[in-house]
């Protein structure tokens, strides 16, 4: 647990005096506090700059370098200080974390350097406080993206560096996507661009009236009709090129389905389809109208330029993301148009030879007036019409001028807002997950402690199991507190697995409950051993934890707890030295606890009449604790952890060192 | 500036104004404890112990006082499996001897001094005070039941053996059988202290928490 909570532990323990008169079982003895070295001031010398702090401050986070015995490696006996050859500016932040419980991110330092310092001192990046977390993540992501871009550019830069085994397909696709990779691709890129331009210009030019050679005054044909063959040839050439390009892209695409569905390919298809349809449509008057319409679609060829221009693509994307705003603008305009058109129609109804023949006819007037175009082809003649007309133009200014800047600012606002909302949601999820993990972490720590026989009489330091002894003072005292609560209420904390099994067993009823609950406990304990934090236990712990009010609050205490608790289940190499050596050193626990467990079978109270059933599991609880401990008889020792422990405590009996 | 005289400016609701004042008030609540020597004289702690305690206290509550919400949060972190808010409420009332809704450092020290360094009599007195919710000098069965339920709530759901609905009540019955000598349905302070002094277990465990600091 973290600093703040550690401070209050003595108080919580003192308040446990209130349970004493109520306890039905004798309370366990307090853990022997090691010769309290008092609160001394440590000097930490980081590259010449001396930092001094209380030892207790550093002890708050036993999972880090400074809080654990790992700092002894850096102790200089001559000068009596801990020397680190690291950046003193960064160390300031690290030390502040111990003091305040919040890790802040320095604004002017390189984020990677900061990360390295954190890794050195054993702090997890998740500890960065909420005030700095967003920026920290942003900068990290930025950095990572930039590095990835650099890598990509590097890769893209050296074209021939593409693996020799790549197929023609892959090379072709790469050439299409990055025209700068090879000369051929560049040539292709420019050629297609040229032909797009040519096609568009041809479409435009063929409608210009050319003066006929015969100089007959009223004879003015569009150029397309004068030189039909020329334009047809040009069109054919362009379409052939476009078709070829499309087919090549289709061939080279890594995922054809996705390519077919992409916007660019749709534009390509729309650009060339009219030509082919026109080829097969017979040239008669009936369908020539439709044929002409189809030719309009040729103008979509201009959109093919978006492959050549990134700006167009960005514009398209932002329009898509502002669709709701544009829709609102359209909607409000439509409302205003309908209202004013109706009003103008009825105002002008009485006039003779009026242009306002119907309400839809008045739409045109309204639109032209509201957008302040004012063509003048339709003007009101009655006074009422003129009044409403002026109101219409004034409101048009407002209706249009107001949303447009809003939409413009919406472009950037919505874009950034979406990003921030996603970040916040992700952070919220992370925060909740941290809370859950924290709560389950504490519970699991206590349950594991119980399993490892921490409940026996704490004899002299030598006899006590190494795993139990190696817990921090805080953990010891906290577990003692929880143990006292158990004894007061004659009930024990369990994990969710055992609880649900016991629940099922109890519902079966009868004598079977005792045996099944005992065996299920053994099962439950072994399952606990195998998986440190079973997911179901976590979820159950969530529901239980959520029942407390503290989950929803974001107070300093919570953050402190999160900071500290988060690390207790974290599988760090350092934690294997300190917080959970009982995971690895089961062998040592085994022999001790067997003896001790027999001593400490709790005497069930004689004067609780209803406990005739639970008291037998209670008595069996003592036996079951024996069972539990003996189930540890087959420890899964990792040789490297044993070695580490032998490094730490050279006093271990030699039998332990040989795995 | 009002562009249109008819549009009435919205008067800020009194609730908003009050909250602003409240915020100012809360921001200025800063409690400084008595001098170190005075506290040393009043409590049974040494100067060094007081220093350690205050440093921790001040770190967590820079304003110098703990209100009930913070108290409940802090306490709930020690009992993640259950719901400790009710018990924390009773505990808060026991510590907040002047009943001003906040526990200052002096209250804190006073309570701890009794719990850690007091005589057995004082400790039992404190416990009695904790159980006596309405502070009328008698512990009734209802008060005891509330306390007991609060304690059992802290255990949470996943207990072994499975927590029964009437476990607190049974426990209360046991307690009253032991403590209530004249069987009048309430436990007075004298009955309480007398019964506790006769119980070996309780007497032995009184020394349990002496080395907490």
């Amino acid at each position: 647990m973290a600093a703040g909570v550690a401070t209050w532990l003595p108080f919580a323990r003192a308040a446990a005096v209130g349970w004493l008169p109520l306890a039905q079982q004798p309370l366990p003895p307090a853990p022997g506090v090691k010769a309290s070295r008092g609160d001394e001031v440590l000097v930490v010398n980081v590259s010449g700059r001396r930092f001094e702090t209380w030892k207790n401050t550093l002890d708050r986070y036993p999972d880090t370098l400074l809080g654990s015995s790992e700092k002894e490696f850096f102790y200089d006996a001559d000068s009596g200080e801990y020397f680190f050859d690291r950046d003193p500016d960064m160390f300031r932040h690290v030390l502040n974390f111990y003091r305040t419980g919040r890790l802040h991110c320095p604004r002017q330092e390189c984020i990677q350097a900061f990360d390295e310092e954190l890794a050195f001192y054993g702090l997890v990046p998740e500890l960065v406080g909420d005030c700095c977390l967003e920026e920290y993540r942003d900068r990290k992501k930025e950095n990572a993206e930039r590095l990835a871009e650099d890598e990509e550019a590097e890769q893209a830069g050296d074209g021939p560096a593409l693996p020799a085994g790549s197929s023609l397909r892959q090379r072709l696709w790469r050439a299409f996507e990055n025209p700068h990779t090879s000369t051929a691709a560049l040539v292709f890129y420019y050629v297609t661009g040229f032909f797009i331009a040519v096609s568009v210009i041809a479409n435009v030019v063929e409608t210009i009236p050319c003066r006929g050679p015969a100089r007959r005054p009223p004879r003015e044909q569009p150029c397309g009709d004068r030189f039909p063959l020329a334009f047809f040839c040009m069109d054919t050439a362009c379409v052939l090129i476009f078709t070829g390009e499309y087919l090549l892209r289709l061939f080279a695409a890594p995922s054809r389905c996705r390519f077919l569905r992409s916007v660019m390919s749709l534009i390509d298809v729309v650009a060339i389809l009219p030509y082919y349809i026109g080829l097969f449509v017979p040239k008669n008057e009936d369908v020539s109208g439709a044929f002409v319409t189809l030719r309009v679609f040729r103008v979509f060829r201009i959109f093919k330029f978006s492959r050549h221009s990134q700006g167009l693509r960005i514009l398209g994307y932002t329009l898509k993301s502002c669709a709701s705003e544009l829709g609102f603008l359209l909607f409000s305009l439509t409302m205003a148009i309908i209202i004013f058109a109706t009003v103008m129609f009825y105002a002008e109804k009485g006039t003779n030879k009026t242009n306002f023949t119907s309400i839809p006819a008045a739409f045109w007037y309204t639109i032209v007036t509201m957008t302040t175009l004012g063509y003048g082809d339709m003007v009101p003649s009655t006074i009422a019409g003129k009044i409403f007309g002026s109101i219409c133009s004034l409101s048009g200014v407002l209706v249009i001028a107001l949303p447009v800047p809003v939409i413009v600012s919406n472009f950037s606002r919505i874009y950034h807002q979406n990003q921030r909302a996603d970040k916040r949601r992700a952070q919220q999820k992370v925060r909740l997950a941290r809370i859950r993990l924290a709560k389950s972490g504490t519970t699991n720590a206590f349950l594991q402690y119980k399993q490892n026989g921490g409940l026996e009489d704490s004899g002299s330091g030598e006899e006590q199991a190494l795993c139990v002894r190696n817990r921090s003072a805080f953990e010891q005292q906290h577990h003692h507190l929880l143990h006292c609560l158990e004894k007061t209420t004659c009930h024990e904390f369990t994990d969710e697995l055992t609880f649900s099994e016991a629940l099922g067993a109890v519902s079966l009823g009868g004598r079977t409950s005792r045996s099944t609950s005992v065996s299920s406990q053994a099962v439950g304990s072994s399952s606990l051993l195998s998986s440190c934090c079973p997911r179901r236990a976590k979820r159950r712990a969530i529901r239980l934890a959520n029942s407390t009010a503290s989950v929803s609050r974001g107070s300093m205490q919570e953050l402190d707890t999160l900071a500290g608790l988060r690390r207790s289940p974290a599988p760090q190499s350092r934690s294997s030295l300190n917080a959970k050596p009982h995971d690895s050193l089961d062998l040592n626990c085994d022999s001790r606890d067997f003896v001790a467990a027999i001593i400490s079978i709790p005497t069930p109270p004689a004067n609780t009449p209803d406990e005739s059933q639970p008291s037998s599991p209670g008595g069996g609880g003592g036996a079951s604790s024996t069972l539990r401990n003996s189930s540890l008889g087959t420890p899964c020792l990792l040789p490297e952890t044993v070695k580490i422990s032998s490094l730490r405590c050279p006093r271990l009996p030699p039998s332990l060192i040989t795995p | 500036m009002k562009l249109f005289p008819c549009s009435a400016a919205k008067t800020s609701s009194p609730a908003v104004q009050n909250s602003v004042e409240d915020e100012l008030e809360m921001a200025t609540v800063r409690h400084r404890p008595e001098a170190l020597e005075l506290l040393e004289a009043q409590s049974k702690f040494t100067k060094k112990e007081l220093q350690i305690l205050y440093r921790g206290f001040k770190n967590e509550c820079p304003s110098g006082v703990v209100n009930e919400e913070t108290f409940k949060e802090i306490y709930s972190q020690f009992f993640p499996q259950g719901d400790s808010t009710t018990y924390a409420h009773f505990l808060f009332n026991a510590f907040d001897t002047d009943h001003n809704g906040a526990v200052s450092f002096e209250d804190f020290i006073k309570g701890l001094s009794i719990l850690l360094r007091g005589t057995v009599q004082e400790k039992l007195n404190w416990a009695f005070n904790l159980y006596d919710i309405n502070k009328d000098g008698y512990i009734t069965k209802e008060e005891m039941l509330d306390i007991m339920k609060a304690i059992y709530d802290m255990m949470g759901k996943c207990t072994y053996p499975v927590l029964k609905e009437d476990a607190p009540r049974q426990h209360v019955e046991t307690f009253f059988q032991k403590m209530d000598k004249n069987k009048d349905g309430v436990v007075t302070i004298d009955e309480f202290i007398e019964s506790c002094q006769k119980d070996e277990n309780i007497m032995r465990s009184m020394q349990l928490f002496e080395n907490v600091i």
Side-chain angles (χ1 to χ4, degrees):
Chain A
M1 282 185 183
V5 182
T7 316
W8 290 93
L9 182 63
F11 151 76
R13 297 187 65 219
V17 165
W19 303 336
L20 294 182
L22 304 177
Q24 294 175 333
Q25 298 172 1
L27 294 186
V33 173
K34 304 171 231 192
S36 61
R37 279 157 283 190
D39 208 3
E40 45 172 340
V41 172
L42 296 181
V43 180
V44 178
N45 184 347
V46 182
S47 301
R49 209 188 298 176
R50 277 187 176 67
F51 295 88
E52 302 186 10
T53 179
W54 294 108
K55 185 175 189 309
N56 282 354
T57 313
L58 295 180
D59 284 343
R60 283 178 191 162
Y61 298 99
D63 269 352
T64 59
L65 186 155
L66 290 171
S68 67
S69 57
E70 192 181 344
K71 64 176 182 280
E72 303 301 325
F73 283 103
F74 298 92
Y75 183 67
D76 182 5
D78 300 325
S79 50
E81 54 190 29
Y82 295 88
F83 180 76
F84 293 95
D85 199 8
R86 310 281 304 186
D87 189 353
D89 291 325
M90 300 285 205
F91 185 73
R92 191 172 62 85
H93 297 280
V94 169
L95 196 53
N96 276 338
F97 168 66
Y98 286 91
R99 291 180 180 138
T100 62
R102 262 202 289 262
L103 185 59
H104 294 280
C105 168
R107 294 277 193 284
Q108 63 274 25
E109 303 283 349
C110 170
I111 207 77
Q112 234 178 345
F114 183 64
D115 263 350
E116 281 167 13
E117 292 297 309
L118 287 188
F120 179 79
Y121 290 108
L123 301 176
V124 197
E126 279 78 33
L127 289 173
V128 176
D130 279 353
C131 44
C132 297
L133 188 61
E134 189 176 329
E135 194 185 307
Y136 172 76
R137 286 232 178 107
D138 281 349
R139 284 168 66 186
K140 256 190 114 157
K141 208 173 10 156
E142 220 179 302
N143 220 14
E145 281 172 4
R146 201 172 345 118
L147 286 177
E149 266 177 25
D150 287 347
E151 264 184 38
E152 235 185 71
E154 243 182 61
Q155 274 182 11
D158 34 304
L162 198 63
S166 71
S167 65
L168 174 69
R169 221 179 126 175
Q170 281 175 330
R171 283 213 301 270
L172 212 54
W173 182 249
R174 214 163 132 268
F176 280 134
E177 294 301 301
N178 304 330
H180 307 284
T181 46
S182 68
T183 339
L186 209 56
V187 163
F188 183 75
Y189 176 76
Y190 282 125
V191 160
T192 43
F194 172 71
F195 273 99
I196 293 173
V198 159
S199 159
V200 168
I201 291 174
N203 285 347
V204 165
V205 163
E206 76 180 359
T207 59
I208 298 177
C210 295
R211 250 181 260 120
R215 278 279 190 166
R216 272 170 290 175
R219 201 61 161 175
E220 277 206 350
Q221 279 179 322
C223 284
D225 289 344
R226 264 213 71 197
F227 308 104
L229 198 59
F231 281 105
F232 181 71
C233 290
M234 201 162 335
D235 207 18
T236 313
C238 292
V239 167
L240 277 176
I241 300 224
F242 295 153
T243 318
E245 182 203 353
Y246 180 71
L247 289 174
L248 275 177
R249 275 184 204 263
L250 189 61
F251 164 70
S255 158
R256 297 227 171 96
C257 292
R258 204 157 53 96
F259 175 74
L260 281 176
R261 282 196 306 241
S262 71
V263 176
M264 289 312 303
S265 82
L266 281 175
I267 291 178
D268 288 341
V269 167
V270 169
I272 61 180
L273 218 48
Y275 176 81
Y276 289 110
I277 294 181
L279 273 186
F280 297 118
V281 161
K283 277 238 186 355
N284 58 357
E285 291 300 315
D286 296 336
V287 290
S288 67
F291 174 64
V292 166
T293 321
L294 271 180
R295 300 182 74 174
V296 167
F297 283 98
R298 290 185 305 171
V299 78
F300 276 88
R301 288 179 195 163
I302 207 169
F303 282 115
K304 287 164 71 74
F305 268 129
S306 48
R307 270 217 189 86
H308 300 253
S309 153
Q310 202 181 19
L312 269 180
R313 283 205 295 271
I314 292 177
L315 181 64
Y317 170 75
T318 43
L319 278 178
K320 195 165 56 151
S321 63
C322 279
S324 69
E325 258 63 21
L326 288 173
F328 171 72
L329 173 61
L330 219 60
F331 175 69
S332 58
L333 265 182
T334 314
M335 257 180 38
I337 286 172
I338 292 178
I339 291 173
F340 278 108
T342 316
V343 166
M344 289 308 297
F345 172 71
Y346 284 112
E348 289 288 305
K349 202 155 188 252
T351 324
N352 291 333
K353 289 199 271 195
T354 184
N355 281 335
F356 295 83
T357 50
S358 64
I359 293 185
F363 280 170
W364 175 242
Y365 168 77
T366 320
I367 292 175
V368 166
T369 315
M370 282 185 86
T371 51
T372 69
L373 283 174
Y375 290 137
D377 52 349
M378 284 166 82
V379 280
S381 31
T382 59
I383 296 190
K386 287 187 178 154
I387 291 176
F388 287 119
S390 35
I391 297 178
C392 174
S393 74
L394 281 175
S395 66
V397 168
L398 280 175
V399 168
I400 290 186
L402 279 182
V404 167
V406 171
I407 288 180
V408 166
S409 71
N410 267 3
F411 282 172
S412 51
R413 187 179 61 83
I414 291 175
Y415 185 67
H416 289 140
Q417 202 178 49
N418 276 344
Q419 282 192 329
R420 230 177 287 134
D422 286 336
K423 256 187 268 175
R424 231 180 290 133
R425 253 176 277 139
Q427 277 178 20
Q428 181 80 356
K429 268 191 234 164
V430 168
R431 170 194 280 254
L432 285 180
R434 271 155 71 171
I435 293 173
R436 275 181 250 137
L437 210 58
K439 297 262 171 183
S440 71
T442 332
T443 320
N444 288 335
F446 180 60
L447 293 172
Q448 284 219 326
Y449 151 71
K450 284 208 302 186
Q451 283 200 328
N452 293 325
L455 304 187
E456 81 278 16
D457 223 347
S458 63
S460 71
E462 296 288 334
E463 284 172 11
Q464 217 178 16
L466 195 69
C467 57
V468 172
R469 192 175 39 182
N470 279 341
R471 293 167 299 142
S472 67
F474 177 84
E475 264 191 8
Q476 275 184 9
Q477 295 175 357
H478 184 224
H479 290 161
H480 176 248
L481 182 67
L482 292 175
H483 193 198
C484 287
L485 183 60
E486 285 186 338
K487 286 282 187 279
T488 309
T489 55
C490 306
H491 288 75
E492 293 174 11
F493 288 108
T494 60
D495 64 322
E496 188 239 306
L497 189 64
T498 346
F499 170 67
S500 50
E501 284 168 3
L503 201 58
V506 160
S507 66
L508 287 177
R511 300 216 56 120
T512 54
S513 66
R514 191 180 359 155
S515 49
T516 47
S517 56
V518 161
S519 60
S520 67
Q521 263 213 314
V523 167
S525 67
S526 58
S527 73
L528 242 194
L529 267 183
S530 54
S531 64
C532 176
C533 303
R535 273 193 69 121
R536 272 191 301 151
K538 259 195 262 183
R539 256 187 271 128
R540 269 302 187 97
I542 296 167
R543 271 196 278 132
L544 287 174
N546 281 341
S547 66
T548 66
S550 62
V551 171
S552 50
R553 299 203 142 228
S555 75
M556 200 165 65
Q557 262 76 32
E558 184 188 17
L559 288 174
D560 288 342
T561 325
L562 291 182
L565 284 180
R566 171 68 180 82
R567 242 166 314 106
S568 51
Q572 277 188 330
S573 60
R574 190 160 292 119
S575 65
S576 71
L577 283 178
N578 283 306
K580 301 215 172 178
H582 46 268
D583 271 324
S584 48
L585 293 175
D586 300 332
L587 185 58
N588 204 2
C589 299
D590 184 26
S591 47
R592 310 267 168 264
D593 305 344
F594 192 81
V595 170
I598 296 182
I599 298 174
S600 73
I601 289 179
T603 55
N607 50 1
T608 52
D610 79 318
E611 283 204 295
S612 56
Q613 196 188 14
S615 72
S616 37
S624 75
S625 69
T626 339
L627 268 182
R628 258 179 285 151
N629 291 328
S630 60
S631 80
L632 301 176
T634 53
C636 36
L637 267 186
L638 306 166
E640 54 266 18
T641 53
V642 174
K643 258 190 268 154
I644 292 173
S645 66
S646 68
L647 271 177
R648 286 197 63 226
C649 309
R651 292 169 308 160
L652 277 183
S655 59
L656 193 61
I657 300 182
T658 58
Chain B
M1 186 175 84
K2 288 198 216 135
L3 291 171
F4 203 64
C6 284
S7 70
K10 261 206 245 168
T11 51
S12 61
S13 54
V16 171
Q17 285 172 341
N18 279 351
S19 75
V20 169
E21 283 169 2
D22 283 339
E23 267 182 46
L24 283 174
E25 240 180 61
M26 271 176 38
T28 52
V29 165
R30 284 262 182 282
H31 184 91
R32 214 170 281 132
E34 307 279 346
L36 190 54
E37 290 81 16
L38 203 60
L39 273 181
E40 192 188 353
Q42 283 175 357
S43 72
K44 300 202 180 97
F45 292 114
T46 65
K47 232 185 218 165
K48 251 194 167 328
E49 291 171 336
L50 283 174
Q51 281 179 335
I52 296 177
L53 281 170
Y54 186 68
R55 281 204 297 268
F57 185 85
K58 178 84 177 170
N59 212 16
E60 289 322 299
C61 312
S63 62
V65 289
V66 186
N67 61 358
E68 191 164 337
E69 283 307 311
T70 323
F71 190 89
K72 282 185 177 158
E73 274 174 48
I74 294 172
Y75 203 71
S76 71
Q77 276 153 17
F78 293 109
F79 302 99
Q81 260 191 327
D83 175 19
S84 54
T85 42
T86 331
Y87 188 69
H89 168 74
F90 294 135
L91 212 52
F92 185 81
N93 286 339
F95 268 88
D96 185 18
T97 41
D98 47 5
H99 303 289
N100 60 351
V103 168
S104 65
F105 188 62
E106 285 94 347
D107 297 332
F108 190 60
I109 289 299
K110 226 184 301 183
L112 279 186
S113 175
I114 296 175
L115 290 172
L116 300 178
R117 305 268 189 268
T119 65
V120 168
Q121 185 93 354
E122 288 171 350
K123 287 182 192 172
L124 290 174
N125 224 338
W126 189 91
F128 185 85
N129 193 34
L130 173 69
Y131 305 146
D132 185 11
I133 298 177
N134 55 0
K135 318 283 178 228
D136 61 353
Y138 299 102
I139 305 179
T140 64
K141 276 200 180 157
E142 286 73 30
E143 289 175 337
M144 203 62 231
L145 189 60
D146 285 340
I147 298 270
M148 204 61 81
K149 276 206 203 125
I151 293 182
Y152 274 82
D153 278 345
M154 284 199 290
M155 290 294 295
K157 215 164 37 131
C158 291
T159 59
Y160 176 79
V162 178
L163 206 52
K164 296 223 175 56
E165 280 300 315
D166 59 347
R169 186 168 287 280
Q170 292 294 335
H171 203 149
V172 170
E173 292 300 323
T174 320
F175 179 77
F176 266 77
Q177 269 174 18
K178 202 162 51 151
M179 301 281 166
D180 192 7
K181 292 290 183 251
N182 56 0
K183 307 288 174 213
D184 58 355
V186 293
V187 176
T188 63
I189 178 74
D190 302 311
E191 286 177 340
F192 182 72
I193 293 184
E194 199 190 317
S195 320
C196 286
Q197 280 175 335
K198 290 217 192 82
D199 187 331
E200 264 186 33
N201 277 339
I202 297 182
M203 284 298 111
R204 209 174 340 145
S205 42
M206 278 290 166
Q207 273 83 292
L208 256 185
F209 298 104
E210 300 222 315
N211 59 351
V212 156
I213 299 288

